[in-house]
Amino acid sequence: MLKINNINKFLKRGIIMERIEEKLKDIEKEYLELQEGITEYSNNNLKSADLKKRGSKFGIYEQKGKKMMLRLKAVGGELSIEKFKSLASIMEKEEIPYLHLSTRQNYQLHEVEFERVKDTIEQCNSKEMYFRGGGGNTFRSILVSTYTGVDKRNIFDVMPYARMVENEVFFMDKAFDFGRKLKIGFSNSLDDEFVMAVQDMGFVAKEINGEKGFKVYCGGGMGRGSKIGHVLIEFLPEADLLRAVKALIDLFYDRGDRVNRMQARLRFLVEKMGFEGFKKLYLDYFGKETIVNGKIPKIDYEKKVRELKQFDEIENSETFNLWKDICTKETKFKDVVSLVLYVKNGDLTAKDIEKLYILMKDINTPTIRATINQNLVIPLVHKSAIPYIYKYLSEAIPEIVTETISIRGQIRACVGAKVCMIGVQDSQSIADAIGGELDQLAKEFPQYRKIIFKEAKNIRISGCPSSCAGVPVAPLGFIGLKKKINDKLTDCMQVYMGGILTDSIQSLAFEIPNLILPIDEIPILVKSLFRDYLEILQVYDITFSNYMYERRLEEF
């Protein structure tokens, strides 16, 4: 019986791959046009804006320094360790200096030479790593809760549902020809409900009397005119999932604004129509839609757990215990944890990836996931392997260990103006300076170092008004801009405060009026706010998120 099941799986996979190969043939012409455009651009025969039109739909963009960035889609940021290793091999062959982990769980190949773009695309496609929908006015990468399937608070595993949607939407041409981008996400528990509420469409796992389904948010989003979405459907049975997504794709394709780009995201359509009017229209599309779900194969985590390698090594140093406390998270499986790998600036070289692959082979774990915080998570690790992993990383990639225990490693920042074509300020350098100030504060108040470390994750920095670092949901955020101060154009940042979602408070971050500061004053402000917070903690038990929410209306 087992052999028959394996044969059936093989046949089904063969059919799916045939469909994908046919679709890739359909879009091969667009890849060729992109490569031709790159050649024309390098010879000064094509404008940068025209090159962007050809590449953005694949998540392929020009970077500063006449190089290209290629953004690979990965549902929930998950890759098998074999695909992870393939990335390293492709990077080495094409001389790509580093890979960047994005805040949408993507893997971005940076500083790709113009003439190597086409070959890189073909190699990634051959390893079943695709670019369609990586950027532009398309159905973007699907966000998924990092710990789905393994978390103790797991309602049910949403990864199979997200994969099914991604696989089916890949063949829907309308989904890659919108007036603006469309983003959806899946959460396996209430912990990430706020993240789902700021998607164009967000699905939160829900069970009623044993029936699986989703609470559905719609019309949220970050960036210009950020919004917390509305509850579109209180309980959507799992059988109607693809139908719900397809209805939104068709509605947005038909009714989305294709003229005014600044008003073209779905949230503006919801605002224009009024939520009740939009809901009525959506339910009309939903009622007419007949598509059914594709296959949703369950992931056998128990089998993966049984195959994890166990170790006899022991480690009990102070640094090890600090690292272990920070980077391990209990799972629902006995003696198994998830392991966070903190990656400075979200950047990895091919050598780094190869070393991580060797580590994952050694501990016999099958997958790795990118997080929205630009780090990596190994979902399943046997507890006994932790001392071995610490020793291995300390010798092979020591910066991963030091980044784990650094305050700077917790701060989220986009790639910034040194890399990004639309970047205004160098967000990474500003994050470094903030980290330095908070390290100094932790030395002044060593008893509060753990609190400073924990709350530093609430600082988010974007080098421009885009929302790559998630500033609209940040308790404390900064957006790069330039402003005239004393008749001199000055590098500055706009300050945001108060992003929070609790049972009693749901709020996006507030743009603080008149609080636009020169960039060298930003680290001083952060240190001051944290110092004030530590003083408040001596009297009140309050989270940093609540504290910043309460201070959002002050005059600074």
Side-chain angles (χ1 to χ4, degrees), residues 55-243:
S56 62
K57 70 180 72 175
F58 300 112
I60 298 174
Y61 295 89
E62 182 189 5
Q63 292 182 286
K64 289 180 179 176
K66 295 289 185 179
K67 302 285 178 68
M68 301 296 285
M69 180 273 284
L70 282 64
R71 181 186 294 142
L72 280 163
K73 294 177 74 176
V75 178
E78 183 171 275
L79 291 178
S80 68
I81 63 171
E82 289 77 19
K83 287 185 179 180
F84 196 54
K85 173 65 166 63
S86 294
L87 279 178
S89 300
I90 293 168
M91 290 170 67
E92 287 184 335
K93 183 176 180 181
E94 299 302 330
E95 299 180 1
I96 298 170
Y98 69 98
L99 173 148
H100 179 72
L101 305 169
S102 83
T103 54
R104 200 163 178 84
Q105 301 175 303
N106 294 308
Y107 297 83
Q108 298 179 174
L109 302 174
H110 277 237
E111 296 187 16
V112 182
E113 299 286 350
F114 282 172
E115 64 272 14
R116 294 181 180 271
V117 171
K118 185 67 164 54
D119 286 346
T120 303
I121 291 171
E122 289 175 351
Q123 289 178 71
C124 289
N125 283 345
S126 72
K127 299 296 182 181
E128 300 175 30
M129 296 183 289
Y130 307 116
F131 295 92
R132 193 177 202 213
N137 303 326
T138 67
F139 183 92
R140 295 292 193 89
S141 299
I142 298 176
L143 209 66
V144 182
S145 294
T146 297
Y147 300 100
T148 185
V150 302
D151 193 357
K152 281 186 173 181
R153 295 165 63 86
N154 199 53
I155 296 173
F156 60 82
D157 184 20
V158 296
M159 185 65 82
Y161 297 88
R163 287 179 181 173
M164 182 276 292
V165 170
E166 174 69 22
N167 290 341
E168 296 298 326
V169 171
F170 187 86
F171 303 101
M172 299 177 188
D173 289 340
K174 284 184 179 181
F176 303 95
D177 188 25
F178 295 131
R180 204 69 170 83
K181 58 191 171 187
L182 190 74
K183 296 181 175 181
I184 78 167
F186 287 83
S187 174
N188 66 308
S189 72
L190 298 179
D191 291 351
D192 288 334
E193 186 168 7
F194 193 16
V195 179
M196 296 306 111
V198 291
Q199 305 298 309
D200 291 299
M201 192 173 223
F203 297 89
V204 181
K206 189 172 183 178
E207 275 192 2
I208 296 180
N209 297 325
E211 182 183 4
K212 292 180 180 177
F214 301 92
K215 181 178 181 180
V216 184
Y217 283 91
C218 193
M222 294 187 287
R224 189 180 298 273
S226 299
K227 298 285 184 184
I228 296 176
H230 303 267
V231 178
L232 182 66
I233 301 172
E234 191 62 48
F235 183 76
L236 175 80
E238 62 176 336
D240 291 330
L241 175 58
L242 188 60
R243 186 174 159 219

Side-chain angles (χ1 to χ4, degrees), residues 53 64 123 136 146 169 195 220 241 301 379 405 442 461 473 477 520 541:
K53 289 177 183 177
K64 289 180 179 176
Q123 289 178 71
T146 297
V169 171
V195 179
L241 175 58
Y301 291 99
I405 59 179
I461 307 164
V473 297
D520 58 356
D541 184 12

